């Protein structure tokens, strides 16, 4: 549905997108992650026909974004980053204007506007001036606009930024509710958020696509290994002994006490890629009679990933090109 | 294309009714037009002669040109510059609309507003007739056509200026300067020594065309074509500037 090949975009002094190549299959929801200035918005603007690429090619819904821009724009619902809306119109007037601009047949307009307002939960502000809306509501009006023409592809630039946690969840649910129905590419800074909505994530940094895969794959590739945290209550014995026992569990590469004390009650396990040692750890604890208080997968933190990307730009990029990640890092 | 241009035109026309600047302009134009109409009509030199008042009102007097040159760039300054500054241009241009439709729509919207500023002047003459005068409505029509064509040209220039910047004030200033250049350069004809040069310049002088054309009640096709094609040329340039974004 979205095909990007060797896309490069140069501004006067910066290369905002650098040889990016990726695909989004029909029906997929893909998260587009990267730190500030990574090139997310620029890539998205090229895909929506707002900016031209310097080189490379991109197609959305089977049409070249540059040569068949109108065909692309007819099939894409776009939520720009800062949600620029006409402040002088009321919400329903604005959506009415957009529905005419998007050439929705006159007889369907009312229905589509109502449906979009309902879906984006802006019915309660329909008579309000757009300029008087809070940030979150503006965002939702932007979402309603993106949904208006019922396009097969949605491209959303940071749909949850500036929202309070509750609204964040609502928007996440909205996107999740479109699963299977629409092809969605959305950008974000927040990995857990992306993780909860989509199976696949693209990571862009300094214009380069550094990683493309499931969140677990990315963590494995960029952040070393998936980690688990295990906590006992009380500490069952000398840290060294417990550590050795945990490391004997299949799939666990390393276990490290969280506190330097000789009798640590909690450990961080680094697991082999693809392995989930939690059941085995539970059985071990049960067999030994250790009382388990917590056993959880560590939320992979994007900040950590980005820090790593920034630090290990060259090796990470190399690893991206050639097979599984090189060992090193991971165990604290 | 026509449908989306119409949508944009309606939106722009409506936006004028939300804009304090547009209200200010409307107030000033309507008020001053009324005042000047009264002054022309009651001026001893005119002495109530409508044959003189009508052309005076629509371009025979300096005040008209003050409005004709200044008002269009103020009306058009917002059209693209503000969309660029606020970023709404991104929403507009990523909708399935052609650049030409957007330009035409905005132009049609502002042209309609400009026409709405001048149409009330018809009322003056209706009033005069109601009071027993006998205005020549043929002359009024040709004068009004001249006014609209002059407006059409200056508005297209203003729109072009607005597309070139994201600063409204700059857009208005640039539009005004272009208007003044176009208006005053051919007036230098009076200084020209060679009769051929003088004649050529006069043929392209907006003031001359209006004064010795529309204001005499004669509508010359060549004059209409002159304004329409110049306006078309600036609209074409505007489309080019809007498109240029895509080639950067
Ligand atoms: N119009 C422009 N002119 C010049 N440079 C630009 C322009 N737009 C973006 N850039 C540069 O391109 C790079 C990528 O910017 P972009 O906005 O795509 O990043 P982003 O990933 O969307 O960042 P953020 O998370 O902050 O939104 C930045 O270095 C930015 O300064
Ligand atoms: Mg961005």
């Amino acid at each position: 549905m979205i095909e990007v090949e060797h896309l490069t975009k140069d501004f006067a002094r910066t290369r905002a997108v650098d040889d990016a190549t990726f695909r989004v299959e029909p029906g997929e929801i893909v998260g587009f992650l990267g730190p500030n200035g990574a090139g997310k918005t620029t890539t998205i603007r090229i895909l929506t026909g707002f900016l031209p690429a310097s080189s490379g090619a991109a197609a959305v819904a089977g049409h070249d974004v540059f040569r068949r821009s109108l065909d692309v724009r007819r099939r894409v619902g776009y939520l720009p980053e800062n949600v620029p809306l006409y402040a002088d119109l009321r919400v329903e007037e604005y959506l009415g204007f957009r529905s005419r601009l998007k050439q929705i047949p006159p007889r369907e307009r009312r229905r589509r506007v109502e449906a979009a307002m309902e879906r984006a939960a802006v019915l309660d502000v329909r008579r309000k001036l757009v300029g008087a809306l809070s940030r979150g509501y503006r965002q939702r009006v932007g979402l309603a606009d993106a949904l208006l023409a019922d396009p097969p592809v949605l491209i959303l630039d940071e749909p949850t930024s500036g929202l309070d946690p509750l609204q964040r969840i609502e928007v996440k649910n909205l996107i999740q509710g479109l699963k299977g129905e629409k092809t969605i590419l959305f950008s974000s800074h927040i990995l857990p958020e992306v993780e909860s909505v989509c199976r696949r994530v693209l990571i862009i940094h300094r214009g380069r696509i550094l990683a493309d895969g499931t969140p677990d794959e990315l963590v494995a590739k960029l952040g070393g290994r998936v980690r688990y945290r295990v906590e006992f209550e009380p500490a069952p014995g000398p840290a060294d002994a417990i550590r050795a026992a945990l490391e004997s569990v299949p799939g666990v590469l390393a276990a490290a006490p969280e506190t330097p004390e000789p009798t640590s009650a909690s450990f961080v396990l680094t697991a082999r890629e693809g392995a989930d040692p939690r059941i085995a750890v539970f059985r071990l604890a049960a067999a030994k009679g250790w009382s388990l208080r917590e056993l959880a997968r560590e939320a992979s933190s994007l900040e950590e990933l980005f820090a790593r990307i920034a630090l290990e730009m060259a090796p990470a990029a190399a690893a991206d090109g050639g097979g599984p990640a090189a060992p090193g890092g991971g165990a604290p | 294309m026509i449908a989306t241009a119409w949508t944009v035109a309606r939106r722009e026309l409506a936006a004028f009714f939300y804009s304090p600047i547009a209200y200010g302009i409307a107030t000033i134009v309507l008020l001053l037009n009324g005042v000047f109409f009264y002054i022309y009509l009651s001026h001893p030199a005119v002495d109530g002669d409508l044959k003189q008042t009508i052309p005076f009102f629509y371009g025979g007097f300096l005040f008209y040109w003050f409005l004709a040159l200044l008002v269009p760039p103020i009306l058009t300054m917002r059209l693209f510059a503000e969309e660029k500054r606020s970023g709404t241009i991104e929403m507009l241009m990523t909708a399935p609309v052609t650049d030409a439709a957007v330009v035409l729509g905005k132009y049609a919207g502002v042209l309609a507003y400009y026409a709405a500023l001048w149409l009330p002047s018809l009322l003056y003459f209706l009033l005069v007739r109601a009071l027993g005068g006998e205005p020549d409505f043929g002359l009024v029509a040709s004068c009004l056509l001249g006014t609209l064509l002059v407006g059409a040209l200056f508005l297209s220039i203003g729109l072009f200026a607005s597309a070139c910047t994201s600063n409204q004030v700059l857009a208005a200033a640039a539009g005004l300067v272009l208007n003044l250049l176009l208006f005053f350069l051919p007036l230098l004809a009076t200084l020209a020594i060679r009769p051929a040069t003088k004649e050529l310049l006069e043929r392209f002088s907006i003031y001359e065309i209006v004064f010795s054309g529309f204001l005499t009640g004669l509508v010359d096709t060549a004059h209409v074509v002159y304004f329409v094609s110049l306006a078309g040329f600036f609209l074409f340039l505007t489309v080019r500037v809007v498109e240029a974004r895509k080639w950067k």
Side-chain angles (χ1 to χ4, degrees):
Chain A
M1 219 46 167
I2 300 176
E3 291 149 63
V4 173
E5 265 170 42
H6 302 292
L7 200 69
T8 296
K9 174 69 187 177
D10 290 313
F11 288 114
R13 224 165 291 153
T14 31
R15 174 156 287 197
V17 181
D18 188 1
D19 197 29
T21 299
F22 64 87
R23 294 173 64 90
V24 179
E25 303 301 332
E28 247 190 326
I29 301 185
V30 171
F32 196 33
L33 280 165
N36 286 132
K40 302 182 294 293
T41 299
T42 306
T43 308
I44 283 174
R45 282 179 166 169
I46 295 171
L47 290 178
T48 53
F50 186 63
L51 283 179
S54 302
S55 67
V60 176
H63 299 282
D64 184 278
V65 295
F66 189 61
R67 269 169 294 153
R68 318 261 337 165
S69 175
L70 276 183
D71 287 315
V72 169
R73 286 185 262 161
R74 260 190 269 277
R75 290 165 178 82
V76 171
Y78 174 37
L79 175 73
E81 185 166 26
N82 297 313
V83 205
L85 310 172
Y86 291 132
D88 55 354
L89 296 182
R90 298 182 190 286
V91 169
E92 57 186 351
E93 286 170 349
Y94 179 73
L95 293 173
F97 164 72
R98 295 291 295 180
S99 71
R100 286 190 294 276
L101 209 56
K102 294 180 178 191
Q103 296 139 54
I104 295 173
R107 270 178 296 132
E108 287 180 39
R109 272 181 214 145
R110 276 219 72 76
R111 192 178 56 74
R112 293 276 190 91
V113 169
E114 292 293 324
M117 283 199 293
E118 190 175 340
R119 207 149 200 190
V122 291
L123 280 169
D124 50 332
V125 294
R126 60 191 297 164
R127 298 291 305 154
K128 267 201 169 185
L129 283 177
V130 170
L133 294 180
S134 72
R135 167 83 212 231
Y137 269 102
R138 277 176 29 146
Q139 196 92 2
R140 290 201 227 166
V141 173
L143 274 170
D145 173 54
L147 293 168
L148 205 52
D150 200 18
V153 182
L154 289 178
I155 296 183
L156 313 173
D157 200 352
E158 298 192 27
T160 59
S161 80
L163 300 188
D164 68 39
L166 231 87
Q167 292 182 330
R168 229 168 242 272
I169 292 171
E170 276 176 31
V171 169
K172 248 167 51 182
N173 289 343
L174 176 67
I175 294 175
Q176 224 151 11
L178 297 167
K179 199 169 224 151
E181 189 184 329
K182 309 224 177 278
T183 306
I184 304 177
L185 177 71
F186 77 98
S187 74
S188 172
H189 291 123
I190 305 155
L191 182 61
E193 189 170 284
V194 170
E195 244 184 312
S196 66
V197 177
C198 48
R199 298 273 302 282
R200 223 177 102 220
V201 174
L202 295 164
I203 291 193
I204 182 169
H205 183 62
R206 294 195 195 148
R208 298 174 62 90
I209 303 284
L210 287 192
D212 176 349
T214 66
D216 282 351
E217 280 169 13
L218 297 193
V219 171
K221 197 180 260 182
L222 294 164
R225 310 287 145 69
V226 182
R227 289 190 297 187
Y228 297 88
R229 188 171 173 282
V230 52
E231 189 178 331
F232 304 105
E233 172 92 37
D240 279 345
I242 295 167
R243 177 182 173 170
L246 286 171
E247 282 180 350
S248 71
V249 171
V252 175
L253 294 176
E258 269 198 332
T259 48
E261 293 141 40
T263 58
S264 177
S266 54
F267 294 80
V268 172
L269 312 181
T270 308
R272 188 161 35 76
E273 202 176 325
D276 184 347
R278 279 177 291 188
I279 299 294
V281 169
F282 168 74
R283 294 216 171 99
L284 170 78
K288 300 251 184 187
W290 300 339
S291 42
L292 203 55
R293 179 180 168 135
E294 190 184 304
L295 178 54
R297 210 178 75 173
E298 291 264 85
S300 28
S301 118
L302 188 67
E303 289 68 30
E304 207 183 351
L305 281 191
F306 284 157
R308 216 174 266 277
I309 293 170
L311 279 173
E312 304 174 18
M313 185 60 181
D320 187 40
Chain B
M1 162 87 186
I2 299 293
T4 48
W6 172 239
T7 301
V8 173
R10 272 180 52 186
R11 138 88 196 143
E12 291 303 346
L13 188 57
F16 282 115
F17 291 95
Y18 297 122
S19 146
I21 292 183
Y23 275 109
I25 293 273
T27 311
I28 291 172
V29 170
L30 294 178
L31 210 69
L32 290 185
N33 267 348
V35 168
F36 273 86
F37 179 71
Y38 177 76
I39 293 176
Y40 297 150
L41 201 58
S42 55
H43 196 276
V46 175
D47 195 22
D49 180 5
L50 283 164
K51 272 261 166 314
Q52 289 190 51
T53 305
I54 295 170
F56 245 40
F57 184 75
Y58 288 111
F61 197 67
L62 192 69
F63 168 71
Y64 168 88
W65 292 103
F66 170 74
L67 286 186
L69 288 162
L70 189 66
V71 168
I74 296 177
L75 293 181
T76 51
M77 66 180 184
R78 175 181 56 84
L79 292 173
F80 277 104
E82 179 58 16
E83 295 240 23
K84 290 209 240 176
R85 190 200 57 78
S86 70
T88 49
I89 188 104
E90 188 168 358
M91 280 285 202
L92 187 60
M93 296 322 246
T94 53
V97 293
T98 59
D99 298 349
V102 169
V103 170
L104 272 185
K106 284 179 179 285
Y107 182 65
V110 71
L111 191 59
Y113 187 78
Y114 191 75
L117 288 182
W118 282 95
L119 284 181
S121 60
L122 272 177
L123 288 177
Y124 305 158
F125 301 104
L126 289 175
L127 192 69
V128 165
R129 191 170 69 173
L131 294 177
E134 278 181 14
D136 175 353
F137 277 99
L139 180 60
V140 172
S142 101
C143 287
L144 205 53
L145 178 65
T147 290
L148 292 184
L149 286 171
V150 168
L153 170 58
F154 288 153
L155 288 169
S156 74
I157 292 175
L159 191 65
F160 166 70
S162 184
C164 291
T165 171
S166 57
N167 181 326
Q168 289 195 55
V169 177
L170 208 63
L176 182 61
V177 167
L178 283 173
N179 288 352
L180 290 173
L181 281 177
L182 200 67
F183 184 76
F184 282 110
L185 274 185
L187 288 185
L188 295 179
T190 43
L191 303 176
I193 303 176
R194 284 177 50 208
T197 320
K198 184 175 156 78
E199 196 183 323
L200 188 75
L201 280 172
E202 272 174 356
R203 287 196 25 202
F204 291 105
S205 160
I206 293 166
Y207 180 76
E208 279 303 321
I209 291 175
V210 170
F211 191 75
S212 52
F214 297 103
L215 295 194
T216 61
L218 300 172
V219 176
D220 184 339
T221 320
H223 293 163
V224 177
V225 168
Y226 174 75
F227 282 112
V228 171
S229 56
L230 255 189
F233 172 69
F234 277 102
L235 288 182
F236 169 77
L237 285 188
T238 310
V239 174
R240 276 295 140 109
V241 170
V242 173
E243 272 173 0
R245 179 194 79 248
K246 298 191 185 155
W247 302 94
K248 260 188 247 157

